[in-house]
Amino acid sequence: MATKSVPKSKKSITLEKEIETKVRRIQARLIEKTDQTWSLSVVLNILVSAGLMQTKKMTRADWQKIKNLVDDKTITFSEDLISDFVKRMAE
């Protein structure tokens, strides 16, 4: 039985410097914790996929918080925020 492969497309995107820095920190933590190689594109795909799954559980206030973070360029990822995010996704 052959497995169905998902076609890949190559796109070029530009990240805000603050977002790129945060994504690279996540990438570094993944490499450190798993002792495996994680490309930036794989990390971005994971974050986007997780974000798309989470959107069903987000309130209007959650969307406003994200908009304010992006507008103000004050994106912070505390351990509590990440833990809360994972718990909410598991619900």
Side-chain angles (χ1 to χ4, degrees):
M1 184 164 105
T3 58
K4 198 175 201 179
S5 65
V6 178
K8 292 184 178 186
S9 64
K10 292 196 177 234
K11 302 287 181 197
S12 175
I13 62 169
T14 303
L15 296 174
E16 293 285 334
K17 189 65 179 167
E18 293 81 7
I19 294 174
E20 181 183 1
T21 301
K22 300 297 182 182
V23 173
R24 289 202 181 276
R25 284 186 189 156
I26 293 169
Q27 178 188 28
R29 288 177 67 190
L30 284 168
I31 291 169
E32 178 186 338
K33 297 288 183 187
T34 63
D35 199 26
Q36 295 179 14
T37 336
W38 292 82
S39 70
L40 191 63
S41 63
V42 168
V43 175
L44 284 170
N45 281 327
I46 291 169
L47 292 171
V48 168
S49 299
L52 290 173
M53 288 188 293
Q54 182 62 17
T55 57
K56 294 178 184 174
K57 298 178 183 181
M58 290 176 65
T59 65
R60 185 177 192 95
D62 293 332
W63 283 108
Q64 190 61 45
K65 285 179 197 173
I66 291 172
K67 181 183 181 308
N68 290 340
L69 289 174
V70 172
D71 289 347
D72 298 341
K73 297 184 179 183
T74 56
I75 298 169
T76 56
F77 294 103
S78 67
E79 291 297 324
D80 293 338
L81 178 67
I82 294 169
S83 297
D84 184 47
F85 177 74
V86 172
K87 286 177 191 172
R88 286 179 60 190
M89 282 185 65
E91 293 174 351

